[in-house]
Amino acid sequence: MKIVSRDRWFDVEHHYNGISLISETYVRPFYRCNIWHVQGRDRDLLIDSGSGLVSLREQLPWLTQRPLLAVASHTHFDHIAGHHEFPERLVHPAEADILARPDGDNTLSKAYVGDEMFEAHPDCPLCYAEYRVKAAPATRLIDEGDVLDLGDRVLEVLHTPGHSPGGISLWEAETGTLFSGDIVYDGPLVDNAYHSNLEDYAKSLARLRDLPVRTVHGGHFPSFSGERLRELADNWLRAHG
């Protein structure tokens, strides 16, 4: 396995309207969490925090130059393993216990972390054979209808269970932008994890497809349009009766 320096581990792609995508370049696409940074006037938002193999704070020090809310779209390992690095951590109550007491089973890391996950390893002492997610107890619980106010922009919390019981999406109505986590992205959806629920999945997808969405920034794979969201939702709903 190729070894790469930690300063090459992350890639930052600036989108529009203060939104940036942080990627772990050498994690293969299926396992690679999209880490979304949303800039506001008074504070910023970090939606998910990746695998934790390389420190976000060390390699991207600009992340903590302003007040930052680190939100967990849900608590699978690839989305929360960097949360312990940030002082303000937000999660849905249904998965707060996992964020506070993560292990290889409840975060799915035991099932998925292995050679097939990587195109290269970082040059750090913590290799994946010793991998573990560090505890990051929530400093704030967020649920349906809560609002994250960044000063000049507002994102509403939508409880979208199905992939996991505490899955959330964030909806910026003013711009028609949806941060969907893992309930929907343009790739193979995972609806069979140990705490997935197909009935909840169907309800969440039906709800999201009816929003006036322009752009979806998912938990994995490239962003896509509201039209594509409706197509993906309809395909899943048809396939699952």
Side-chain angles (χ1 to χ4, degrees):
M1 183 73 71
K2 182 171 73 170
I3 304 297
V4 297
S5 60
R6 279 165 281 182
D7 61 358
R8 295 173 56 200
W9 190 253
F10 295 108
D11 178 67
V12 181
E13 177 185 338
H14 299 290
H15 282 237
Y16 61 91
N17 195 26
I19 296 172
S20 298
L21 171 62
I22 302 169
S23 302
E24 296 182 87
T25 309
Y26 296 97
V27 175
R28 291 196 169 104
F30 177 76
Y31 307 92
R32 185 190 303 150
C33 165
N34 289 335
I35 304 168
W36 294 104
H37 180 263
V38 183
Q39 187 172 8
R41 184 192 65 210
D42 299 337
R43 61 190 61 82
D44 295 347
L45 195 64
L46 190 71
I47 305 168
D48 295 332
S49 60
S51 74
L53 277 170
V54 174
S55 169
L56 281 163
R57 288 189 63 148
E58 288 180 7
Q59 299 306 318
L60 304 176
W62 51 267
L63 279 175
T64 52
Q65 289 176 350
R66 306 176 73 244
L68 180 76
L69 305 176
V71 178
S73 69
H74 63 295
T75 56
H76 293 157
F77 76 98
D78 49 328
H79 293 261
I80 62 158
H83 265 60
H84 68 279
E85 295 193 308
F86 304 101
E88 294 190 73
R89 302 176 295 271
L90 288 63
V91 71
H92 188 274
E95 296 185 34
D97 186 62
I98 299 175
L99 195 63
R101 286 174 284 277
D103 60 41
D105 293 316
N106 64 16
T107 66
L108 297 183
S109 64
K110 184 176 179 181
Y112 286 102
V113 177
D115 274 347
E116 67 279 0
M117 180 174 162
F118 303 102
E119 294 177 359
H121 287 165
D123 64 343
C124 55
L126 178 65
C127 69
Y128 79 82
E130 302 164 331
Y131 184 85
R132 66 183 182 89
V133 179
K134 294 181 180 179
T139 58
R140 176 179 168 188
L141 300 179
I142 50 175
D143 206 340
E144 174 70 31
D146 287 343
V147 167
L148 305 182
D149 187 349
L150 306 186
D152 57 347
R153 62 194 312 172
V154 170
L155 293 92
E156 180 184 356
V157 176
L158 309 180
H159 182 208
T160 48
H163 176 71
S164 67
I168 63 164
S169 301
L170 296 179
W171 169 235
E172 188 174 45
E174 184 175 344
T175 61
T177 302
L178 178 71
F179 296 91
S180 61
D182 276 9
I183 193 66
V184 63
Y185 46 76
D186 201 351
L189 299 178
V190 176
D191 54 24
N192 59 352
Y194 76 95
H195 54 183
S196 297
N197 181 291
L198 293 182
E199 183 176 351
D200 286 343
Y201 216 118
K203 290 177 181 176
S204 293
L205 283 182
R207 176 190 189 187
L208 294 180
R209 78 168 307 287
D210 290 337
L211 288 175
V213 175
R214 297 177 188 169
T215 305
V216 182
H217 299 307
H220 298 269
F221 300 104
S223 300
F224 52 96
S225 67
E227 182 179 0
R228 179 61 174 157
L229 166 63
R230 290 179 276 279
E231 181 182 358
L232 291 168
D234 286 344
N235 289 344
W236 190 95
L237 291 165
R238 277 195 299 268
H240 292 79

